Amino acid sequence: MRVPATTRGRVLAGLGMAAAVVFFLTTVPFHRNWFDLHVYYGAVEHWTGGDPIYDYLRPGTHYGFTYPPFAALCMLPMTLVDWHSALAVSQLMNVAAAAVILHVCLDSVIRRESRHRWFAYTAAACMLALLEPVRDTVSFGQVNLLLLALVLADCRLLTAGRARFPSLGRLAGLGIGLAAAIKLTPAIFICYLLITRRWRAAGVAIGTASGATLLAAWAAPTASRTFWTEAMWNTDRVGSLAYVSNQSWQGMLARLTEPFAEPSRAVWAVGVVLLLWLWARRARQAVAAGDELAGFALTGAAACLVSPVTWVHHLVWLIPALAVLADKGLRADPGGRRRRRLLTWALVSYAVLCSSMVWLWRWNDGGAPGFLGANAYVWMALFLLLLLPLGEPGADRGGPYAQSGPYAQSGPSATMGLCAHATASPSPSVPVSWLSEQPASPTRPGSKPAPSGSAG
């Protein structure tokens, strides 16, 4: 996009973009009315009143608290304020988390491509706010942006942290450990650290997650026992697996077989094993190439696929993959086919994640086309896992996140930086010979009726 030449023009353009986004967000359908935050708030009040937290159900629904007990401990401060204050604090925390996500994913590309950093960040923030998983996370009152920010903070520590702030670099793994203790899905990032042989960071993550879980067991032994022996395994608490908002491998199988039969657990398990094998192979390639953000992006895509329940708001884990796509495209040779292919893929993927297309097949009654459309996010996550371009050893990794060592890194690259404008000083691109032009499946998974976040 063409950036206004004057400061006044850029200020007016930034205000115009922000106003348009705010207008859209306040008028768009599918606002979730803070459903999950209501569950959190009601559950901790129920708990502090002397009742078991996992017995709580939001009035008029069968949805209750589904997170580990450590998450409940973290939410206890909500009992000190009224509902509106809790809502305000929740939204401020989402804004802070979004700022961390944008910085880790985009700072490198914005420094490289734009002369007007504040304007680039404004445009990127507007684009981030339009993503359907982000909108649903905010309107549900969910915690996904906070968890993604914690995990990406470790990405930063694994790259710039060790080179620029060695003492902070030793804390890598802390954010992943906390995120895994709050919700189970981020635990796959501990596996990422293990398979890529970051033993110290993996140890910090495992120690943090274990310590937080033991703290919860000491502070709330009954709740801990109930969660780990009962609530964690009760899938009825999180809603129907076949609901169109469940954009995971398990959800796709459920939509294929229900209402005639339950999905085969053997087929699901075989698929998960294959997906994890592919993820492990590609993640190791990414780290060997010094492409840490791509490794985190692949892990996020794998998490969306293998988790039994991946509601639409969980798909914030795909944001780093958009960053990698856009960054690789902007680094490619201007005018080249690879640049056009990657930037087109990034824009199409972004557009799909902003859409509400899967609601066209909410009842999954459209035959084969309906089955393809109802699982569009599953296809997108699979394409990203298969085809996300990676760096290669020896490629240029200059920039603010560069470091030396076996896992030298170009650092957080970019995504919605597309919008951020580029006064192109393109860096050499890293070829991926087997990248093919795969169409990203269009869709936005609809959200679930409103569980308080799945244990997955």
Side-chain angles (χ1 to χ4, degrees):
M1 63 179 285
R2 181 179 294 276
V3 177
T6 65
T7 300
R8 182 174 181 272
R10 290 189 291 275
V11 170
L12 291 176
L15 291 174
M17 286 188 293
V21 168
V22 170
F23 176 78
F24 176 78
L25 294 180
T26 55
T27 58
V28 68
F30 303 125
H31 192 282
R32 310 305 177 181
N33 297 314
W34 327 115
F35 187 98
D36 286 7
L37 188 61
H38 275 292
V39 172
Y40 305 154
Y41 191 81
V44 293
E45 281 202 325
H46 181 82
W47 193 28
T48 55
D51 297 307
I53 189 170
Y54 294 107
D55 286 351
Y56 173 81
L57 295 177
R58 185 180 176 187
T61 77
H62 63 278
Y63 293 114
F65 193 80
T66 60
Y67 291 172
F70 180 71
L73 292 181
C74 294
M75 295 177 185
L76 278 177
M78 285 197 294
T79 61
L80 302 177
V81 298
D82 60 23
W83 161 251
H84 292 95
S85 298
L87 175 59
V89 171
S90 166
Q91 299 313 301
L92 289 174
M93 293 175 71
N94 276 327
V95 170
V100 172
I101 293 165
L102 287 173
H103 179 75
V104 175
C105 289
L106 297 176
D107 190 62
S108 179
V109 75
I110 287 176
R111 286 175 180 271
R112 188 183 71 237
E113 303 287 347
S114 178
R115 292 177 298 178
H116 311 291
R117 292 181 62 197
W118 71 266
F119 183 78
Y121 270 115
T122 299
C126 289
M127 294 186 73
L128 180 71
L130 292 177
L131 284 168
E132 193 70 30
V134 174
R135 285 158 37 203
D136 268 8
T137 288
V138 172
S139 66
F140 266 122
Q142 260 283 345
V143 298
N144 302 294
L145 289 176
L146 298 173
L147 299 179
L148 179 59
L150 284 172
V151 168
L152 287 180
D154 277 348
C155 178
R156 176 67 186 268
L157 290 175
L158 285 169
T159 55
R162 288 183 176 177
R164 300 169 65 186
F165 310 104
S167 59
L168 289 179
R170 288 192 287 271
L171 296 177
L174 182 64
I176 290 173
L178 287 173
I182 293 171
K183 194 171 181 177
L184 300 183
T185 301
I188 193 174
F189 287 91
I190 299 179
C191 299
Y192 168 74
L193 296 175
L194 290 171
I195 65 169
T196 55
R197 299 183 180 182
R198 254 67 68 80
W199 308 120
R200 182 186 182 90
V204 172
I206 292 171
T208 301
S210 300
T213 301
L214 291 173
L215 173 64
W218 171 79
T222 301
S224 295
R225 182 169 57 253
T226 300
F227 177 79
W228 295 109
T229 62
E230 298 177 27
M232 175 181 171
W233 312 102
N234 185 1
T235 57
D236 292 338
R237 295 172 58 87
V238 298
S240 170
L241 294 177
Y243 186 58
V244 73
S245 182
N246 183 13
Q247 293 289 303
S248 68
W249 165 238
Q250 171 100 316
M252 185 179 73
L253 290 179
R255 283 185 290 276
L256 183 64
T257 61
E258 292 188 3
F260 307 106
E262 292 187 359
S264 168
R265 293 188 179 183
V267 172
W268 174 78
V270 169
V272 167
V273 170
L274 290 175
L275 289 167
L276 290 176
W277 172 81
L278 176 65
W279 157 71
R281 181 173 178 270
R282 298 215 72 214
R284 285 194 293 264
Q285 290 173 345
V287 172
D291 205 343
E292 194 75 67
L293 187 61
F296 274 72
L298 291 167
T299 307
C304 293
L305 289 166
V306 303
S307 174
V309 178
T310 299
W311 302 128
V312 61
H313 49 76
H314 296 167
L315 294 165
V316 298
W317 297 106
L318 297 181
I319 291 173
L322 298 184
V324 172
L325 277 177
D327 182 53
K328 301 299 185 186
L330 291 171
R331 285 177 180 270
D333 186 27
R337 288 185 60 195
R338 184 170 182 273
R339 181 185 179 97
R340 290 194 300 271
R341 183 166 61 240
L342 289 175
L343 293 183
T344 299
W345 186 12
L347 287 171
V348 169
S349 299
Y350 172 78
V352 168
L353 282 172
C354 289
S355 73
S356 300
M357 195 175 302
V358 293
W359 288 104
L360 295 173
W361 298 281
R362 181 174 182 177
W363 309 116
N364 195 22
D365 56 358
F371 178 73
L372 292 174
N375 296 294
Y377 281 158
V378 181
W379 310 127
M380 175 181 287
L382 183 59
F383 291 153
L384 290 170
L385 185 61
L386 283 168
L387 301 174
L388 191 71
L390 309 177
E392 292 180 358
D396 173 29
R397 292 192 249 298
Y401 295 101
Q403 71 169 30
S404 60
Y407 295 111
Q409 182 65 23
S410 63
S413 318
T415 181
M416 297 157 281
L418 249 49
C419 81
H421 144 257
T423 52
S425 59
S427 305
S429 67
V430 180
V432 179
S433 60
W434 57 287
L435 178 64
S436 61
E437 296 186 28
Q438 296 282 358
S441 302
T443 291
R444 103 111 218 181
S447 279
K448 60 184 188 327
S452 74
S454 71

